[in-house]
Amino acid sequence: MADSLLLSKRAPSRSTWLRARKARPHLILSYRPRRRLGRLRWRGRRRFRRRLLQAQAAGADWREGGCLVSRAAAPRRPKTAAPSPRPAEDPAPSCSTILPIPPVRSAGSGRAVLLLPLGQGFTFSGICRVTCLYGQVQVFGFTISQGQPAQNVFSAYTHSRLTINAVHYPVHEKSKKEMKREARSLLRSYLNQDDRYCLMKNFSPLCSILLLERLKTSTVNFIISHPGLSYVFVQEIPTFQINSEYFALKSVGIRRERKKNGLRLTESAFSVMEELVSISCEEADGCPVILVCGSQDIGKSTFIRYLINQLLNSISCIDYLECDLGQTEFTPPGCISLLNVTEPVLGPPFTHQRTPQKMVYYGKPSCKNNFENYIEIIKYVFSSYKRESPLIVNTMGWVADQGLLLLIDLIRLLSPSHVVQFSSDRGRYMPDLSPSYVDDMDGLYTKSTSRVRNRGFHLAEFADNLEFADEEKENPVLFTGYKLMSVKSEFVSGKTPRNRESHNKVLRELAVLSYLGQLQPPVPKPLCPLHGLTPYQVPFNAVALRIIHADVAPTHILYAVNASWVGLCKILDDVRGYASGPILLAQTPICDCLGFGICRGIDMEKRLYHILTPVPPEELRNVNCLLVGTISIPQCVLKSQRGLEGTIPYITTDYNFKLPGASEKIGAREIEETRKEKVHPKPKFYRKTN
């Protein structure tokens, strides 16, 4: 679930510019700032005065014209503030110290050094590359130690801000002098003598030193290149705290955030997580199957990411089964997938799109009105689980009415060893899913244990399609007792019943854009617009077509496929041998999905599909089916591509919404006020392949 936070408003305050001058006589205001201060209401004057004092304390002057000019930006060398004296009994500084790297390469080298005392944290927003030079830190549950590879960290504005915490690490009976000597030697490659001296004055035992570097990836650059999405990673928020720390962090591409904006987990969540990590590391208990459930916007996905990172500190890999169609973690939306996770997840889902071990394209962000197909797909994907590592199962946030009965079916099907149930005072009521409760309740497709016992048969008909390992076929475990673990969530979400659907849609579009970002050349090459990329040519008789979410007449099937998000799938049937196409499927198959692409155009003369996809050619040879669902291409891809001139293909202002199937309620494409999507047989600006 998305875990964005609401920014709190500033508290009201009062003062006058005259009182500000009396409090600090040396703070001189020119005519224009005084005139501006006079127009402020009494609630904003004290806030304005506080900003002026902060600016002056940071080494900035208020000049004519009402702008801040930092002394650090002047030609003379900036002065380094001496650390405040500390009492002898508390040698550790109370806050973190950040020093910019001197211009060894250039003034804007995009690197900074961060000193974190033990127990202190640094909450930030933005993206950066984190290297632990000395000590040990923890980010989102994952521990980064000295000598380990650098990690890419994404603290986006769509979710809670991440915090880098300094944690305890073994010192092997080293004295403080030896630790300082070792840390000073490590800093010689990054800081000059003066900055090293200033940083080491704040050094205390068990401090951690980090190197923060600017991070640039083709996926991130592709996302922020679209209008309205640049705020996702970096926001230009006016600030008056202009000092050396501000410029150092700005060169890296991050900014310091308040601690209250950071990620917060409850004590019950940490205790459950600690127990799960301990159980997963014990070989005697085998590989646990952990199912996480609860209502929407309660923090399930955040808990799972944190748990994955905690497990990766002790074991090498974790299996992950995605059963949430709307907010998928590692794939574009509308998929049920099984992945083997070996690297930490240090950001929102759209920052770590990965190739699953097995994936099926369901085609819709919700399974309503088609529960049976949803259950059959989960059976098919779950059959690939080899039981060689712990499995984490993510479920939907729909836990009312039929959603609760469907969850009971999943528990019986997957037979988890632990069920983590989230509850909140603000969320929808959900009964405790204890083993006895699940035994006595009927699901959508399964009966309670008492009814099964009375009828004299068991759940064999429900597990006929399950494929277990050879040693487990004789005695398959359908449903056994599990341990229920309750987590009391105090998660604060920025979603409301009014904006929940639009917020979730933005996150789904970000996942699609992140997947399309794989088409871009690696950094530092410039971005290439999608209409400038060469697509693959696919003959009509080489692939079969199926529209998942609606019944489309055969004469209109190509109109529905053109300019659509398509799943590239592999079916067992042989579609070769047809003289011409297109080849249409009567039913939606349950088959492997190898990736996704955009049907960029259709050549009716040569009977070819033009498919744009990042799937490698060796995998594309196995594709023989195209599935089209309600997951659509983000409108920014159609309207905001660079280099377009004249009429934009697939966009029109003349569209009749009275036609059957033309409303937003049936399709998944968003309707705006003036510009609407329209399918054309063949766009003029697209370049055909040779």
Side-chain angles (χ1 to χ4, degrees):
M1 295 298 171
D3 46 350
S4 56
L5 296 176
L6 290 176
L7 297 178
S8 59
K9 297 181 179 179
R10 295 180 179 270
S13 57
R14 59 179 181 176
S15 183
T16 60
W17 72 271
L18 186 59
R19 293 178 183 176
R21 292 189 62 184
K22 289 182 179 180
R24 298 290 294 270
H26 57 279
L27 184 62
I28 305 300
L29 297 179
S30 61
Y31 171 74
R32 186 172 300 179
R34 287 202 309 270
R35 185 177 179 183
R36 175 188 174 188
L37 189 59
R39 290 197 301 264
L40 293 177
R41 294 185 177 182
W42 62 272
R43 289 187 175 184
R45 291 176 180 175
R46 187 177 179 183
R47 179 173 56 192
F48 187 68
R49 168 184 172 271
R50 184 172 63 251
R51 290 183 177 181
L52 291 178
L53 297 179
Q54 289 176 351
Q56 187 175 23
D61 296 329
W62 189 270
R63 301 292 178 86
E64 185 76 16
C67 60
L68 279 175
V69 180
S70 175
R71 294 175 182 173
R76 60 179 182 274
R77 179 181 176 182
K79 296 182 180 180
T80 304
S84 57
R86 305 285 176 182
E89 64 274 9
D90 186 16
S94 59
C95 61
S96 59
T97 303
I98 299 180
L99 293 178
I101 290 185
V104 177
R105 298 180 180 177
S106 63
S109 59
R111 307 170 78 189
V113 170
L114 170 65
L115 174 66
L116 278 179
L118 179 63
Q120 296 292 331
F122 172 68
T123 305
F124 70 99
S125 60
I127 58 176
C128 64
R129 190 171 179 86
V130 179
T131 306
C132 186
L133 299 179
Y134 186 81
Q136 187 170 271
V137 296
Q138 194 173 87
V139 185
F140 210 176
F142 184 74
T143 302
I144 306 176
S145 303
Q146 178 180 347
Q148 290 185 350
Q151 297 293 336
N152 298 338
V153 182
F154 304 86
S155 183
Y157 282 87
T158 55
H159 294 67
S160 298
R161 316 299 184 266
L162 299 185
T163 303
I164 303 176
N165 295 302
V167 296
H168 186 275
Y169 56 90
V171 295
H172 303 294
E173 299 181 357
K174 293 182 181 179
S175 63
K176 181 179 178 180
K177 186 176 182 180
E178 293 176 345
M179 296 172 63
K180 293 186 67 174
R181 185 185 301 113
E182 182 180 357
R184 187 182 293 107
S185 62
L186 292 173
L187 292 175
R188 289 177 180 173
S189 302
Y190 307 99
L191 297 175
N192 58 22
Q193 184 176 1
D194 294 339
D195 291 330
R196 286 201 310 270
Y197 175 77
C198 179
L199 186 141
M200 295 311 297
K201 288 176 65 177
N202 294 280
F203 184 87
S204 62
L206 299 180
C207 272
S208 297
I209 303 177
L210 304 178
L211 176 65
L212 308 178
E213 298 177 280
R214 177 178 287 272
L215 175 63
K216 291 184 178 180
T217 64
S218 56
T219 300
V220 171
N221 293 341
F222 179 72
I223 291 177
I224 64 178
S225 65
H226 295 87
L229 295 180
S230 59
Y231 74 95
V232 173
F233 298 106
V234 179
Q235 283 188 354
E236 292 295 337
I237 300 178
T239 179
F240 284 80
Q241 297 181 358
I242 300 179
N243 49 19
S244 59
E245 173 186 308
Y246 170 81
F247 288 110
L249 295 180
K250 187 175 181 180
S251 66
V252 175
I254 61 177
R255 65 187 302 269
R256 183 189 286 268
E257 293 281 349
R258 296 181 180 180
K259 186 178 180 181
K260 65 179 182 180
N261 295 335
L263 177 65
R264 297 188 299 271
L265 296 177
T266 59
E267 291 296 332
S268 60
F270 280 115
S271 60
V272 168
M273 202 174 304
E274 182 179 357
E275 183 177 353
L276 291 176
V277 172
S278 176
I279 293 172
S280 301
C281 296
E282 295 178 2
E283 299 181 358
D285 295 338
C287 298
V289 177
I290 305 167
L291 186 142
V292 183
C293 61
S295 59
Q296 55 186 353
D297 302 331
I298 203 171
K300 299 192 305 295
S301 297
T302 303
F303 175 84
I304 290 176
R305 296 184 204 115
Y306 204 102
L307 177 60
I308 289 176
N309 294 334
Q310 285 276 297
L311 290 173
L312 289 178
N313 292 329
S314 305
I315 57 181
S316 59
C317 62
I318 303 101
D319 285 332
Y320 177 84
L321 177 61
E322 182 63 81
C323 299
D324 188 357
L325 297 170
Q327 303 297 329
T328 52
E329 186 68 31
F330 298 100
T331 64
C335 298
I336 297 175
S337 58
L338 178 68
L339 297 95
N340 189 260
V341 184
T342 58
E343 297 180 355
V345 286
L346 303 177
F350 54 86
T351 61
H352 47 254
Q353 296 287 294
R354 298 175 184 175
T355 303
Q357 176 184 348
K358 197 176 192 67
M359 177 173 60
V360 174
Y361 185 45
Y362 186 83
K364 294 184 289 185
S366 175
C367 67
K368 294 182 179 180
N369 304 324
N370 197 359
F371 304 117
E372 186 175 357
N373 191 32
Y374 175 75
I375 288 290
E376 293 298 328
I377 291 177
I378 292 180
K379 286 184 187 180
Y380 178 76
V381 175
F382 181 64
S383 63
S384 299
Y385 175 50
K386 303 302 182 182
R387 302 177 185 269
E388 297 177 351
S389 57
L391 175 66
I392 299 177
V393 182
N394 184 30
T395 60
M396 298 182 296
W398 182 33
V399 293
D401 303 328
Q402 292 178 321
L404 179 60
L405 302 181
L406 189 63
L407 179 60
I408 292 175
D409 286 340
L410 286 181
I411 293 177
R412 289 186 176 138
L413 168 64
L414 302 177
S415 185
S417 59
H418 298 79
V419 173
V420 181
Q421 182 176 354
F422 276 73
S423 61
S424 174
D425 297 334
R426 300 178 303 273
R428 183 184 292 271
Y429 170 75
M430 181 181 178
D432 292 337
L433 298 179
S434 61
S436 59
Y437 178 86
V438 175
D439 281 339
D440 297 336
M441 284 291 296
D442 291 339
L444 285 178
Y445 300 99
T446 60
K447 302 298 181 181
S448 63
T449 306
S450 59
R451 293 194 180 187
V452 171
R453 189 181 300 111
N454 294 335
R455 293 187 179 185
F457 62 89
H458 53 84
L459 299 178
E461 72 275 7
F462 186 64
D464 288 340
N465 297 329
L466 281 178
E467 298 179 4
F468 292 92
D470 294 336
E471 63 273 9
E472 298 174 352
K473 286 184 177 180
E474 297 181 358
N475 298 313
V477 180
L478 296 181
F479 179 71
T480 59
Y482 55 84
K483 182 175 182 180
L484 179 63
M485 312 177 78
S486 300
V487 175
K488 189 69 173 180
S489 176
E490 298 177 359
F491 190 76
V492 180
S493 175
K495 297 181 184 178
T496 62
R498 292 186 176 182
N499 68 1
R500 177 176 287 111
E501 183 59 32
S502 60
H503 191 107
N504 292 340
K505 185 173 183 179
V506 170
L507 296 179
R508 289 194 292 266
E509 290 184 349
L510 286 173
V512 173
L513 288 175
S514 177
Y515 188 86
L516 293 176
Q518 302 176 25
L519 291 165
Q520 298 298 323
V523 176
K525 294 183 179 179
L527 294 176
C528 183
L530 296 183
H531 62 83
L533 300 175
T534 303
Y536 292 97
Q537 291 182 339
V538 182
F540 279 6
N541 58 359
V543 293
L545 294 179
R546 175 63 182 172
I547 307 299
I548 299 175
H549 61 287
D551 294 331
V552 182
T555 55
H556 294 78
I557 198 76
L558 294 182
Y559 288 93
V561 174
N562 195 19
S564 296
W565 179 258
V566 295
L568 310 179
C569 304
K570 175 185 177 183
I571 59 177
L572 299 179
D573 298 335
D574 190 4
V575 299
R576 295 175 298 178
Y578 292 86
S580 61
I583 304 172
L584 306 182
L585 296 177
Q587 295 181 351
T588 302
I590 298 179
C591 56
D592 294 344
C593 181
L594 305 181
F596 298 91
I598 297 177
C599 184
R600 213 188 67 171
I602 298 177
D603 192 337
M604 297 300 298
E605 297 178 359
K606 297 182 179 180
R607 310 187 73 79
L608 297 173
Y609 304 109
H610 291 188
I611 305 295
L612 195 63
T613 176
V615 179
E618 55 271 13
E619 294 289 337
L620 290 177
R621 296 189 182 98
N622 300 321
V623 175
N624 58 359
C625 178
L626 301 180
L627 297 182
V628 180
T630 62
I631 308 301
S632 60
I633 305 172
Q635 285 199 0
C636 57
V637 173
L638 299 174
K639 299 192 302 183
S640 305
Q641 287 294 303
R642 298 180 179 178
L644 292 179
E645 296 180 359
T647 304
I648 304 177
Y650 306 109
I651 304 295
T652 182
T653 57
D654 183 15
Y655 191 74
N656 187 5
F657 288 96
K658 296 181 180 180
L659 295 175
S663 65
E664 187 182 12
K665 297 180 181 179
I666 296 179
R669 293 180 173 84
E670 183 182 2
I671 300 176
E672 291 195 354
E673 296 179 359
T674 56
R675 308 184 106 183
K676 311 299 178 184
E677 299 177 12
K678 182 178 179 181
V679 176
H680 296 278
K682 186 178 178 181
K684 296 181 179 180
F685 76 100
Y686 282 154
R687 186 177 60 193
K688 295 200 304 182
T689 54
N690 297 326

